[in-house]
Amino acid sequence: MHDPRSAAESDLLEAWRSARIGRRDFLRCAALLGMAGPLAACSRAPPVAGGSGLITVGMPVPAGLIDPLTVGDTGGVCLLSQCGEYLAVSDPDLRLAPQLALSWRPNEDGSVWTFQIRSGVKFHDGRTLTAHDVAATMNRLADPANGSVALSAFAGALSKGGARALDAGTVEFRLDAPNGTFPYLVSSDNFNAIILPADYDGGYERDFNGTGPFRLERYVPKARASFVRNTDYWGAKANPERVLFSFYDSIQAQVLAMQGEQLDVLLHVPVQGGQGLLADPRLNIVALPSSAHEQVHMRTDQGRFADKRVRRAVALALNRENLVRGMFRGRAALGNDSPFARLFPATDPDVPQRRLDLTEAKELMAAAGVPNGFQATLTTERYQELPDYAVVIQNAVRKIGIDLTLNVEDQSAYYGRAVFGSSDWLDSQMGIEDYGHRGVPNTLLTASLGSRGAFNAAHFKNPEFDNLAASYIAALDLSTQRAYAGRIQRLLLEETPVVIAYFYDWLSVTAKHVSGVRPGANGQLSLAEARVA
């Protein structure tokens, strides 16, 4: 029987043999296609010898109810990752490793994906995991009636009813359109996609019922959570007997607790506000390159920013190298005004990097009929370095005549109801918002830049872009993905609906006596292999 993956696998092997891609990208793409050999290189690390009693972690207060369907904040995501598991896990090199799925494979065009589910896995309440639980979980996430955060990832990819169990160990996903990187959408890359019992109907905070290496001991909203080793876990048992999470309402409080040796681990620390930890010789900094970034949008449908020459002028006024060196102390990578971070294998490295050019920026302003500039308002949220970044932009565009008034709001005011017409984020003339890490840029392409995107604050509507994004997402092989990515990158440089000046590293902190902590760049934290010396 003809193997539908053969063409994509042959293309990948040829790219590896001809040195067009490196070992990391080869393994990542091989894992995505379900090639058996390379997956061995991505398998679970052996358990750490010996045991540790207690690991203490500092983290932000979860923003709301801990419910896998609706969680969207760092604190909530971190807690979910203690008890919940995914079909696959995206590692720091963006490779997919099997977790609750053993393997996956597409049909000829990537419109149907079939997953084999691991046997012998039990939920914490003693029930056995089956493919029916997997299908029910994904259909629940894809149902608009449930208001899941995962809808932004599933939009145009998976609709309610698209997942079905073929038998107890096999799940078939029939997609809305071909998708060459679909496994990422049901992996840890989509942090809402932890597998729950088929009859789940809410109330996750009662028991945190999952399949993971830790079980809930106690959860005190707004204060703390503790978990104990799951002795019935399907894989290697967790090294720590118990893990304790303390919640803090500010980064300053977390920094003081870490400096005061009250914590073994700090989930995340930004450069701005965390400087005191970054040079502390008692601590280890775990830095993960990521695709997380802060996106500057400009309304393309009204006002002065409707002229793409003005938008390009704004982008050319920024000194990206200074931003990386100054605001991030070098712990960031340059951005090129598209979601394609350098760490994505599909990103076309031959697209020229946009840099500071005030001469060209002023020429563009003159050509747009505003040689003396204009006034505008930049609205953003009070979050990490965003207020500082707003000031940097204000000073930069002043050099080309744009007089920006800054409107910095609390997060709840900025995002509002997160729908057009009721959100300062989506309705503002110009704004800045924070986007978390993803292993593939698909959601950003469709949700934040697609003509029908729910997060399209720039109101950017470009049929050519939409077609290119659909073709990129559908491509199964790396060379085709890269070809479409390059065209998208160049189109966005020309149109500049958004400015993405940098992609910042995810920084976690551990005490010197702690090892084996595995953070994820989207807020997850694996402590199963952690130990205290």
Side-chain angles (χ1 to χ4, degrees):
M1 181 180 292
H2 174 65
D3 185 343
R5 297 174 300 172
S6 59
E9 290 182 0
S10 297
D11 177 87
L12 181 61
L13 288 167
E14 177 57 29
W16 161 252
R17 291 172 182 142
S18 62
R20 286 188 283 118
I21 60 172
R23 178 178 179 275
R24 187 192 77 167
D25 290 348
F26 171 73
L27 289 173
R28 175 184 180 274
C29 296
L32 177 61
L33 289 171
M35 293 171 68
L39 281 180
C42 305
S43 60
R44 176 183 297 273
V48 179
S52 296
L54 173 67
I55 301 290
T56 58
V57 182
M59 55 173 275
V61 180
L65 287 176
I66 308 300
D67 187 314
L69 274 73
T70 57
V71 157
D73 65 290
T74 298
V77 169
C78 177
L79 292 185
L80 285 182
S81 67
Q82 305 315 305
C83 295
E85 293 187 297
Y86 302 86
L87 293 182
V89 175
S90 179
D91 73 9
D93 287 329
L94 307 186
R95 298 178 303 208
L96 284 185
Q99 194 170 64
L100 294 180
L102 291 170
S103 62
W104 46 86
R105 61 191 300 146
N107 68 344
E108 189 74 45
D109 67 353
S111 63
V112 178
W113 285 79
T114 304
F115 284 65
Q116 296 301 316
I117 306 304
R118 188 180 298 276
S119 62
V121 176
K122 290 186 179 298
F123 287 103
H124 296 164
D125 65 4
R127 288 185 286 178
T128 299
L129 169 77
T130 72
H132 298 282
D133 299 302
V134 175
T137 293
M138 298 307 169
N139 286 327
R140 189 183 301 117
L141 291 172
D143 185 351
N146 292 324
S148 172
V149 174
L151 287 171
S152 63
F154 284 163
L158 180 69
S159 297
K160 178 185 177 182
R164 64 179 183 134
L166 301 184
D167 53 46
T170 309
V171 177
E172 179 185 83
F173 294 92
R174 291 191 170 271
L175 307 185
D176 298 343
N179 192 312
T181 52
F182 174 73
Y184 280 90
L185 302 189
V186 292
S187 77
S188 61
D189 204 54
N190 182 354
F191 47 71
N192 299 97
I194 69 166
I195 305 303
L196 299 171
D199 61 358
Y200 175 77
D201 61 357
Y204 190 79
E205 288 185 354
R206 292 193 302 266
D207 52 17
F208 281 63
N209 185 27
T211 61
F214 293 102
R215 306 168 63 113
L216 179 68
E217 180 183 55
R218 189 181 183 202
Y219 176 59
V220 182
K222 308 296 183 183
R224 70 191 69 87
S226 58
F227 302 87
V228 295
R229 180 190 295 145
N230 178 14
T231 56
D232 294 326
Y233 185 56
W234 59 267
K237 305 303 183 282
N239 190 50
E241 297 174 5
R242 185 168 177 263
V243 291
L244 173 64
F245 293 80
S246 295
F247 307 158
Y248 297 87
D249 59 8
S250 70
I251 186 60
Q252 292 80 10
Q254 295 177 64
V255 169
L256 290 173
M258 196 74 202
Q259 290 175 325
E261 301 182 356
Q262 300 171 31
L263 302 170
D264 297 313
V265 180
L266 199 57
L267 172 64
H268 175 58
V269 58
V271 171
Q272 297 297 315
Q275 296 95 328
L277 300 179
L278 301 183
D280 192 326
R282 301 171 299 165
L283 306 174
N284 290 323
I285 307 299
V286 183
L288 300 178
S290 83
S291 60
H293 61 276
E294 280 139 359
Q295 179 170 289
V296 181
H297 71 262
M298 294 167 281
R299 288 286 295 264
T300 63
D301 63 332
Q302 61 180 228
R304 296 294 188 184
F305 295 122
D307 191 319
K308 65 183 179 182
R309 293 169 295 188
V310 172
R311 302 194 299 266
R312 291 208 306 269
V314 170
L316 289 165
L318 288 178
N319 190 322
R320 297 157 199 256
E321 288 84 356
N322 280 356
L323 280 167
V324 169
R325 285 194 300 265
M327 201 157 69
F328 290 97
R329 308 288 180 90
R331 297 183 182 272
L334 291 179
N336 205 24
D337 300 338
S338 86
F340 284 95
R342 288 280 178 176
L343 78 166
F344 292 142
T347 299
D348 186 345
D350 296 327
V351 175
Q353 172 65 51
R354 176 170 275 164
R355 300 184 186 277
L356 173 68
D357 191 333
L358 291 178
T359 299
E360 184 179 352
K362 291 175 181 177
E363 291 173 352
L364 287 167
M365 292 287 286
V370 284
N372 298 318
F374 56 89
Q375 293 182 334
T377 299
L378 187 159
T379 305
T380 191
E381 55 183 308
R382 192 171 287 106
Y383 177 71
Q384 294 186 174
E385 62 277 330
L386 285 184
D388 295 330
Y389 186 28
V391 173
V392 169
I393 294 171
Q394 181 186 46
N395 292 332
V397 300
R398 184 177 293 126
K399 296 176 182 177
I400 59 173
I402 300 177
D403 180 14
L404 277 186
T405 298
L406 302 185
N407 178 26
V408 181
E409 304 178 327
D410 291 338
Q411 284 188 302
S412 59
Y414 182 65
Y415 289 105
R417 293 176 55 200
V419 294
F420 296 104
S422 300
S423 170
D424 288 352
W425 161 39
L426 297 174
D427 303 330
S428 55
Q429 182 182 26
M430 181 182 189
I432 319 174
E433 48 278 349
D434 186 75
Y435 278 97
H437 170 76
R438 291 290 185 273
V440 291
N442 302 21
T443 301
L444 290 168
L445 292 173
T446 56
S448 75
L449 290 165
S451 294
R452 300 173 63 185
F455 303 155
N456 188 347
H459 295 245
F460 179 59
K461 295 184 178 181
N462 185 300
E464 181 184 0
F465 171 85
D466 294 338
N467 290 334
L468 288 173
S471 297
Y472 165 79
I473 290 170
L476 281 168
D477 64 277
L478 182 60
S479 61
T480 303
Q481 291 172 2
R482 185 170 289 173
Y484 282 116
R487 293 175 64 184
I488 293 170
Q489 290 168 251
R490 289 178 171 85
L491 184 151
L492 291 177
L493 281 174
E494 171 68 20
E495 296 292 334
T496 315
V498 298
V499 173
I500 300 175
Y502 49 78
F503 296 92
Y504 57 84
D505 295 350
W506 178 272
L507 305 178
S508 297
V509 183
T510 71
K512 287 285 188 183
H513 61 267
V514 177
S515 61
V517 176
R518 304 284 183 261
N522 58 4
Q524 291 148 352
L525 184 68
S526 174
L527 296 171
E529 297 175 17
R531 66 179 302 171
V532 177

